[in-house]
Amino acid sequence: MEFKTIIEPFKIHSVAPLQMTTQSQREKYIEEVGYNLFSLHSDNVLIDLLTDSGTGAMSRNQWAAIQHGDESYAGSPSWLMFKDAVQNLFPYKHVIPTHQGRAAEKILFTAIGGKGKVIPSNTHFDTTRANIEYTQAEGVDLVIAEGKDPSSLHPFKGNMDLVALEEFINKTGVANIPVVMMTITNNSGGGQPVSLENLKAVSAICKKYAIPFFLDACRFAENAWFIREREAGQADRDVADIVREIAALADGMTMSAKKDPMGNIGGWLALNDDDLASMCRNLLILTEGFPTYGGLAGRDLEALAVGLTEVISHDYLKYRITSTAYLGKALLKNGIPIVEPTGGHAIYIDAKAMLPHIPPLQYPGQALAVELYKVGGIRGCEIGTVMFGRKPDGSEVASAMELVRLAIPRRTYTQSHIDYVIEVCAEVAAHSQELRGYRIVKEPPALRHFTSEFAPL
Ligand code: F0G
């Protein structure tokens, strides 16, 4: 008999207390930090859905691995365990450990970026784009049209627009394209997966033009699960098998091990090309560390080696993807518009649709995120005009979408925490017409969402 309740496939082994606060306390805390949720003391946040990055709970086997870690500077057994675990899923010749994903990006683009170079992706994550642009290269997003429509029900909204990719290659010239990237799942596009068919097609295009193909694979296991669930002919496959097939389509990868590898810190760059790997290792030594630990301690490497074996468990992935969908479905039932279909690691509330009376330049996403904190102590993240609106020439342009991301840390919150989140969202929706926009009173020159201060209108 298969029961309809999908339970957390773990029991709680160690707990951290949540500090209860009242609405009037939270109104004071958020006012004190200029209505910027990044500036809150996390003790004053009840349910923290700011990110799924590095915020998950490790297993007892991972904690045991932490104790087992060996801190030899060079050639530690912990390094070999890590390398084997990575290559078991991603059999690239060279594995280069870094302290997190953006360090891998920085090294890769320092090696292959530069003025005149253009790097296409389905959608670059913001640190990826920033690292590309820092070398004076350019990042281009070529996700399919459905990927930009919050209400489209396409099963693989992270797919690359293949026609646009080929047109782009012909227009830009192969010599100016050092790599084609694919972000799986597509975080900036709503945590939406990429199909195996699309990955194969991108790989074939890259082969045809002899352009290297790299994955930004932070949420590879969630993406593979969606392939198993949604793509014809994949339902009986082992997720590990799907992951290996994806890996074989590409020439290398960047990784933030703070996501699917279940770490609190970590990342890597992996690739087949010997010359490029040697260049990257030299850069690694400059900024991260010796090639057998990168930016990490031996204990971190071991915890990640174990995490990589846990994340590909079907029981885990079924629970993970179902519980994200559970939150999404409940919000829809309460009339709250979200990006559909629900993705892997987060639910994205469509603040533009929910607060049509607040114009984009009065930051509806920020207004909603602040209200969720005031009413229920929930911390989400605005992904809209606050994050993307300021252009390099100083102008301010409304973002295409005004979203609030509720990212779900792995194995951290139970269903009753999520039921509470649903209740708070419904309460905010019930008085959404009363919400007012914000103006920015203090703004840094770049990445303004992290430190800007706001005032209510
Ligand atoms: N690529 C993707 C798709 C990401 O989502 C992230 C981080 C990175 C690269 C960079 O990795 O943080 O380890 O340096 N995303 C986090 C988030 C920060 O909240 O979505 P990092």
Short mmCIF file of all heavy atoms in Angstrom, two decimals, residues 185-220:
data_model
loop_
_atom_site.label_atom_id
_atom_site.label_comp_id
_atom_site.label_asym_id
_atom_site.label_seq_id
_atom_site.Cartn_x
_atom_site.Cartn_y
_atom_site.Cartn_z
N THR A 185 19.45 23.36 -11.50
CA THR A 185 18.27 23.96 -12.10
C THR A 185 18.52 25.47 -12.28
O THR A 185 19.47 26.00 -11.72
CB THR A 185 17.04 23.78 -11.18
OG1 THR A 185 17.37 24.35 -9.89
CG2 THR A 185 16.70 22.33 -10.96
N ASN A 186 17.62 26.10 -13.04
CA ASN A 186 17.82 27.51 -13.35
C ASN A 186 17.33 28.38 -12.18
O ASN A 186 16.16 28.74 -12.11
CB ASN A 186 17.06 27.84 -14.63
CG ASN A 186 17.33 29.26 -15.09
OD1 ASN A 186 18.28 29.89 -14.65
ND2 ASN A 186 16.48 29.75 -15.97
N ASN A 187 18.24 28.69 -11.28
CA ASN A 187 17.88 29.41 -10.05
C ASN A 187 17.20 30.73 -10.34
O ASN A 187 16.08 30.99 -9.89
CB ASN A 187 19.15 29.62 -9.21
CG ASN A 187 18.88 30.27 -7.87
OD1 ASN A 187 17.73 30.45 -7.47
ND2 ASN A 187 19.93 30.62 -7.16
N SER A 188 17.87 31.60 -11.12
CA SER A 188 17.32 32.95 -11.36
C SER A 188 16.01 32.89 -12.11
O SER A 188 15.23 33.84 -12.08
CB SER A 188 18.33 33.80 -12.13
OG SER A 188 19.59 33.72 -11.52
N GLY A 189 15.75 31.78 -12.79
CA GLY A 189 14.50 31.65 -13.54
C GLY A 189 13.42 30.92 -12.76
O GLY A 189 12.45 30.43 -13.34
N GLY A 190 13.58 30.77 -11.45
CA GLY A 190 12.52 30.16 -10.64
C GLY A 190 12.83 28.73 -10.20
O GLY A 190 11.92 28.00 -9.85
N GLY A 191 14.09 28.32 -10.21
CA GLY A 191 14.44 26.96 -9.78
C GLY A 191 13.91 25.93 -10.76
O GLY A 191 13.60 24.80 -10.40
N GLN A 192 13.81 26.32 -12.03
CA GLN A 192 13.18 25.46 -13.04
C GLN A 192 14.23 24.52 -13.67
O GLN A 192 15.35 24.92 -13.94
CB GLN A 192 12.56 26.32 -14.13
CG GLN A 192 11.47 27.25 -13.61
CD GLN A 192 10.24 26.49 -13.12
OE1 GLN A 192 9.91 25.44 -13.64
NE2 GLN A 192 9.58 27.02 -12.09
N PRO A 193 13.82 23.27 -13.91
CA PRO A 193 14.77 22.29 -14.45
C PRO A 193 15.02 22.43 -15.95
O PRO A 193 14.27 23.09 -16.66
CB PRO A 193 14.09 20.97 -14.14
CG PRO A 193 12.63 21.27 -14.11
CD PRO A 193 12.51 22.68 -13.59
N VAL A 194 16.08 21.74 -16.38
CA VAL A 194 16.43 21.64 -17.79
C VAL A 194 16.24 20.17 -18.16
O VAL A 194 16.62 19.27 -17.39
CB VAL A 194 17.91 22.04 -18.00
CG1 VAL A 194 18.30 21.91 -19.46
CG2 VAL A 194 18.15 23.47 -17.50
N SER A 195 15.68 19.90 -19.32
CA SER A 195 15.45 18.50 -19.72
C SER A 195 16.74 17.87 -20.23
O SER A 195 17.65 18.57 -20.69
CB SER A 195 14.37 18.42 -20.81
OG SER A 195 14.87 18.93 -22.03
N LEU A 196 16.77 16.55 -20.15
CA LEU A 196 17.92 15.81 -20.67
C LEU A 196 18.03 16.04 -22.18
O LEU A 196 19.13 16.23 -22.73
CB LEU A 196 17.72 14.33 -20.36
CG LEU A 196 18.89 13.39 -20.61
CD1 LEU A 196 20.14 13.86 -19.88
CD2 LEU A 196 18.53 11.97 -20.17
N GLU A 197 16.89 16.06 -22.83
CA GLU A 197 16.85 16.29 -24.28
C GLU A 197 17.50 17.63 -24.63
O GLU A 197 18.30 17.74 -25.56
CB GLU A 197 15.38 16.27 -24.73
CG GLU A 197 15.20 16.28 -26.21
CD GLU A 197 13.72 16.49 -26.58
OE1 GLU A 197 12.90 16.89 -25.72
OE2 GLU A 197 13.42 16.25 -27.76
N ASN A 198 17.18 18.66 -23.85
CA ASN A 198 17.74 19.98 -24.11
C ASN A 198 19.24 20.01 -23.83
O ASN A 198 20.02 20.59 -24.60
CB ASN A 198 16.99 21.03 -23.25
CG ASN A 198 17.31 22.46 -23.64
OD1 ASN A 198 18.05 23.14 -22.94
ND2 ASN A 198 16.77 22.93 -24.76
N LEU A 199 19.66 19.33 -22.77
CA LEU A 199 21.10 19.26 -22.46
C LEU A 199 21.84 18.55 -23.59
O LEU A 199 22.94 18.97 -23.99
CB LEU A 199 21.32 18.53 -21.13
CG LEU A 199 20.96 19.35 -19.88
CD1 LEU A 199 20.76 18.44 -18.68
CD2 LEU A 199 22.03 20.39 -19.58
N LYS A 200 21.22 17.49 -24.12
CA LYS A 200 21.85 16.76 -25.24
C LYS A 200 21.96 17.66 -26.46
O LYS A 200 22.99 17.65 -27.15
CB LYS A 200 20.99 15.54 -25.60
CG LYS A 200 21.18 14.36 -24.69
CD LYS A 200 20.36 13.17 -25.22
CE LYS A 200 20.33 12.05 -24.22
NZ LYS A 200 19.24 11.10 -24.47
N ALA A 201 20.92 18.43 -26.71
CA ALA A 201 20.93 19.30 -27.90
C ALA A 201 21.98 20.41 -27.75
O ALA A 201 22.70 20.72 -28.70
CB ALA A 201 19.54 19.89 -28.10
N VAL A 202 22.09 20.98 -26.54
CA VAL A 202 23.11 22.02 -26.33
C VAL A 202 24.50 21.42 -26.49
O VAL A 202 25.38 22.00 -27.13
CB VAL A 202 22.94 22.67 -24.94
CG1 VAL A 202 24.11 23.59 -24.62
CG2 VAL A 202 21.62 23.45 -24.86
N SER A 203 24.67 20.22 -25.94
CA SER A 203 25.95 19.53 -26.06
C SER A 203 26.31 19.31 -27.53
O SER A 203 27.45 19.52 -27.95
CB SER A 203 25.86 18.20 -25.30
OG SER A 203 27.01 17.45 -25.49
N ALA A 204 25.30 18.90 -28.32
CA ALA A 204 25.55 18.63 -29.76
C ALA A 204 25.93 19.92 -30.49
O ALA A 204 26.84 19.92 -31.32
CB ALA A 204 24.31 18.00 -30.38
N ILE A 205 25.25 21.02 -30.14
CA ILE A 205 25.58 22.31 -30.78
C ILE A 205 27.02 22.69 -30.41
O ILE A 205 27.81 23.12 -31.26
CB ILE A 205 24.57 23.40 -30.36
CG1 ILE A 205 23.19 23.10 -30.97
CG2 ILE A 205 25.05 24.79 -30.79
CD1 ILE A 205 22.07 24.02 -30.51
N CYS A 206 27.37 22.53 -29.15
CA CYS A 206 28.73 22.88 -28.71
C CYS A 206 29.77 22.03 -29.45
O CYS A 206 30.82 22.53 -29.85
CB CYS A 206 28.87 22.71 -27.20
SG CYS A 206 27.96 23.97 -26.29
N LYS A 207 29.46 20.75 -29.62
CA LYS A 207 30.40 19.86 -30.34
C LYS A 207 30.54 20.30 -31.80
O LYS A 207 31.64 20.36 -32.34
CB LYS A 207 29.90 18.41 -30.28
CG LYS A 207 30.17 17.79 -28.94
CD LYS A 207 30.42 16.28 -29.00
CE LYS A 207 30.86 15.81 -27.63
NZ LYS A 207 29.74 15.87 -26.63
N LYS A 208 29.41 20.63 -32.40
CA LYS A 208 29.40 21.04 -33.82
C LYS A 208 30.33 22.24 -34.03
O LYS A 208 31.05 22.31 -35.02
CB LYS A 208 27.96 21.37 -34.21
CG LYS A 208 27.79 21.94 -35.60
CD LYS A 208 26.29 22.05 -35.94
CE LYS A 208 26.06 23.04 -37.08
NZ LYS A 208 24.63 23.40 -37.19
N TYR A 209 30.31 23.17 -33.07
CA TYR A 209 31.13 24.38 -33.24
C TYR A 209 32.44 24.32 -32.45
O TYR A 209 33.16 25.30 -32.36
CB TYR A 209 30.32 25.61 -32.80
CG TYR A 209 29.15 25.91 -33.71
CD1 TYR A 209 27.88 25.43 -33.42
CD2 TYR A 209 29.33 26.65 -34.88
CE1 TYR A 209 26.79 25.69 -34.26
CE2 TYR A 209 28.25 26.92 -35.71
CZ TYR A 209 26.99 26.44 -35.40
OH TYR A 209 25.94 26.70 -36.24
N ALA A 210 32.68 23.17 -31.80
CA ALA A 210 33.90 22.99 -30.98
C ALA A 210 34.04 24.06 -29.90
O ALA A 210 35.10 24.64 -29.70
CB ALA A 210 35.14 22.94 -31.87
N ILE A 211 32.92 24.31 -29.20
CA ILE A 211 32.94 25.23 -28.05
C ILE A 211 32.77 24.39 -26.78
O ILE A 211 31.88 23.54 -26.73
CB ILE A 211 31.78 26.25 -28.14
CG1 ILE A 211 31.86 27.06 -29.44
CG2 ILE A 211 31.78 27.20 -26.93
CD1 ILE A 211 30.63 27.92 -29.70
N PRO A 212 33.62 24.59 -25.77
CA PRO A 212 33.44 23.83 -24.52
C PRO A 212 32.07 24.11 -23.87
O PRO A 212 31.54 25.21 -24.00
CB PRO A 212 34.56 24.34 -23.63
CG PRO A 212 35.55 24.96 -24.55
CD PRO A 212 34.79 25.47 -25.72
N PHE A 213 31.55 23.09 -23.22
CA PHE A 213 30.23 23.17 -22.58
C PHE A 213 30.41 22.89 -21.09
O PHE A 213 30.92 21.84 -20.70
CB PHE A 213 29.31 22.14 -23.25
CG PHE A 213 27.95 22.00 -22.64
CD1 PHE A 213 27.30 23.08 -22.03
CD2 PHE A 213 27.27 20.78 -22.69
CE1 PHE A 213 26.04 22.95 -21.48
CE2 PHE A 213 26.00 20.63 -22.14
CZ PHE A 213 25.39 21.72 -21.54
N PHE A 214 30.01 23.84 -20.25
CA PHE A 214 30.14 23.68 -18.79
C PHE A 214 28.78 23.78 -18.10
O PHE A 214 27.92 24.54 -18.52
CB PHE A 214 31.06 24.77 -18.21
CG PHE A 214 32.53 24.39 -18.20
CD1 PHE A 214 33.17 23.98 -19.36
CD2 PHE A 214 33.26 24.43 -17.01
CE1 PHE A 214 34.52 23.63 -19.35
CE2 PHE A 214 34.61 24.08 -16.99
CZ PHE A 214 35.25 23.68 -18.15
N LEU A 215 28.65 23.01 -17.03
CA LEU A 215 27.44 23.06 -16.20
C LEU A 215 27.69 23.91 -14.97
O LEU A 215 28.76 23.81 -14.37
CB LEU A 215 27.07 21.64 -15.73
CG LEU A 215 26.89 20.57 -16.80
CD1 LEU A 215 26.91 19.19 -16.15
CD2 LEU A 215 25.57 20.81 -17.55
N ASP A 216 26.71 24.70 -14.59
CA ASP A 216 26.67 25.28 -13.24
C ASP A 216 25.68 24.37 -12.52
O ASP A 216 24.47 24.50 -12.66
CB ASP A 216 26.18 26.73 -13.31
CG ASP A 216 25.97 27.33 -11.93
OD1 ASP A 216 25.98 26.57 -10.93
OD2 ASP A 216 25.79 28.56 -11.83
N ALA A 217 26.23 23.40 -11.77
CA ALA A 217 25.44 22.22 -11.40
C ALA A 217 25.00 22.19 -9.93
O ALA A 217 24.72 21.12 -9.39
CB ALA A 217 26.25 20.97 -11.73
N CYS A 218 24.87 23.36 -9.29
CA CYS A 218 24.54 23.42 -7.85
C CYS A 218 23.38 22.51 -7.44
O CYS A 218 23.41 21.91 -6.40
CB CYS A 218 24.13 24.82 -7.44
SG CYS A 218 25.28 26.08 -7.89
N ARG A 219 22.34 22.48 -8.28
CA ARG A 219 21.14 21.74 -7.90
C ARG A 219 20.90 20.58 -8.88
O ARG A 219 19.81 20.34 -9.35
CB ARG A 219 19.95 22.72 -7.80
CG ARG A 219 20.21 23.81 -6.74
CD ARG A 219 19.11 24.84 -6.63
NE ARG A 219 19.40 25.83 -5.61
CZ ARG A 219 20.11 26.96 -5.82
NH1 ARG A 219 20.60 27.23 -7.01
NH2 ARG A 219 20.34 27.79 -4.82
N PHE A 220 22.02 19.87 -9.14
CA PHE A 220 22.00 18.79 -10.14
C PHE A 220 21.05 17.65 -9.78
O PHE A 220 20.43 17.05 -10.65
CB PHE A 220 23.42 18.22 -10.32
CG PHE A 220 23.92 17.46 -9.10
CD1 PHE A 220 23.76 16.09 -9.02
CD2 PHE A 220 24.51 18.13 -8.05
CE1 PHE A 220 24.19 15.37 -7.89
CE2 PHE A 220 24.94 17.43 -6.92
CZ PHE A 220 24.78 16.06 -6.84
#
